[in-house]
Amino acid sequence: MFKQLILAAALAGAAGAANAESITYTMDPAHTEVVAQWNHFGFSNPTIHFGQVEGTVTYDPDNVGASSVQVRIPLSGMDSGVEAFNDHLRTADFFDAATDPDVTFNSTAVQALGANRLRVTGELTMHGITRPVEMAVTVNGVGNHAMTGQPAAGFDAEATILRSDFGLDMYAPTVSDEVKLRITTEATVPAPEGE
């Protein structure tokens, strides 16, 4: 019994040490971008950019399974480069931003796939509909930021979704149902107040 207690204490200590290495980073909206791309009637492959992204990444390279991601993307920051198209995308024909003003993603699992490669699975919610999505993630770098000295991490991610899964099926399939998502983010630990 005594040996079992020692073993349990040792395991608890090891778990605590692993958790102590997890760092929660805040996404920098100035260096975070989400891009969606689709095919338009077989002639072009336009994109829309989503700015003003808010979120956090908790990441521990030594305990990847304890990592997590939470993201909120206000549709007010959506930009196709054409204001009239932006306005149309926000109507009930597509996102219905008056009713559902944000897109969110919350991870449910993070897996290591080798050097600097991750699989992040989670729930993507937009247009009031939630669906599971899997993202292929590259860890660009983890360390102290050259400008601030604060802990920082950078990631790129890619995923493919069907817009019809989210009730965004106008003109599909002649305008492709399949949408490719590309995400890049730089996230840091904010400096303590007063520094």
Side-chain angles (χ1 to χ4, degrees), residues 6-147:
I6 291 176
L7 178 59
L11 290 173
N19 291 335
E21 297 300 321
S22 294
I23 297 176
T24 297
Y25 304 91
T26 299
M27 293 180 177
D28 177 359
H31 299 98
T32 298
E33 186 175 37
V34 178
V35 179
Q37 184 172 40
W38 66 96
N39 182 268
H40 189 258
F41 293 103
F43 295 111
S44 64
N45 295 287
T47 60
I48 51 176
H49 296 239
F50 295 85
Q52 302 175 5
V53 179
E54 303 172 7
T56 58
V57 178
T58 300
Y59 181 63
D60 177 1
D62 296 322
N63 186 18
V64 170
S67 303
S68 62
V69 183
Q70 291 81 37
V71 182
R72 185 177 80 89
I73 306 171
L75 291 172
S76 57
M78 179 173 56
D79 185 15
S80 68
V82 179
E83 195 58 40
F85 186 39
N86 296 344
D87 292 341
H88 188 202
L89 288 173
R90 293 188 185 105
T91 69
D93 284 348
F94 291 100
F95 288 98
D96 195 9
T99 302
D100 297 294
D102 301 319
V103 173
T104 62
F105 178 82
N106 293 292
S107 66
T108 54
V110 180
Q111 297 171 281
L113 297 181
N116 298 322
R117 305 290 297 177
L118 308 172
R119 178 189 293 120
V120 177
T121 305
E123 294 185 336
L124 179 65
T125 300
M126 60 182 169
H127 197 221
I129 298 172
T130 301
R131 293 284 185 266
V133 170
E134 185 177 287
M135 295 191 294
V137 177
T138 300
V139 182
N140 296 329
V142 177
N144 290 335
H145 198 284
M147 291 184 68

